[in-house]
Amino acid sequence: SQQGEEDPQALSIQEGENATMNCSYKTSINNLQWYRQNSGRGLVHLILIRSNEREKHSGRLRVTLDTSKKSSSLLITASRAADTASYFCATETSGTYKYIFGTGTRLKVLA
Amino acid sequence: GAVVSQHPSWVICKSGTSVKIECRSLDFQATTMFWYRQFPKQSLMLMATSNEGSKATYEQGVEKDKFLINHASLTLSTLTVTSAHPEDSSFYICSGGAGGKDEQYFGPGTRLTVT
């Protein structure tokens, strides 16, 4: 399967703590995106990071990319109960605009 | 950001019938649209790539005769699940790209239940 792997599969933390989830992929990529999905809902785009970038920030989110290791991480700082959702990475290969999604991390933030 | 809509948002149909799902880009032209399927507590699996005015490209293992895709205009792609069976019950999500840009804009999804 071309699908990327994410770990952990599930993560439960207290409100205010930081949450880190990792994504590994198999092919060379043009860019990598992170998405959030609330239960039974559609996807919300969080951050796009290009293959020539190493780190990007957006509010409480920080994404890193290590193309040599074919991996990325998403850090959510000072988590809130509203951050409870599933988080997916998606990679685009070869300029096809076709994205392959990772297996996802289910995050639960306890109030 | 750009908006993609899907219709219907949920549908229940009987086994053996066909169901059509529409995906529309509301404020941009999507030369390429993608269809994904998501089973409960699983990730999204790409089913096919839909290009305006040409035949769709299906991923390995996806039956093109069962999942008919039409991309008749730059703002509309449709997915028809033919002769649906209970195992086709899933969450179907489409996305569109605004030509040359990296970000994909996702629709809200359609939940299909086949009884």
Side-chain angles (χ1 to χ4, degrees), chain B residues 39-52:
Chain B
F39 292 106
K41 296 188 178 180
Q42 294 188 25
S43 185
L44 284 77
M45 298 298 293
L46 180 64
M47 298 174 67
T49 303
S50 166
N51 296 298
E52 186 264 337

Side-chain angles (χ1 to χ4, degrees), chain A residues 3 31 33 35 37 40-43 45 48 50 88 92 96-99 101-103 106, chain B residues 34 36 38 41-46 49 59 91 93 100-104 106-108 111:
Chain A
Q3 195 167 38
N31 64 69
Q33 304 197 47
Y35 290 88
Q37 184 182 38
R41 301 290 195 99
L43 293 168
H45 178 259
L48 177 153
R50 301 181 192 283
F88 296 95
E92 187 231 334
T96 63
Y97 303 115
K98 185 168 77 171
Y99 281 85
F101 279 78
T103 48
R106 290 192 305 280
Chain B
F34 300 91
Y36 297 83
Q38 185 182 33
K41 296 188 178 180
Q42 294 188 25
S43 185
L44 284 77
M45 298 298 293
L46 180 64
T49 303
E59 295 299 303
F91 195 48
I93 301 176
K101 296 189 176 181
D102 302 301
E103 186 172 341
Q104 285 287 309
F106 282 84
R111 186 162 303 284

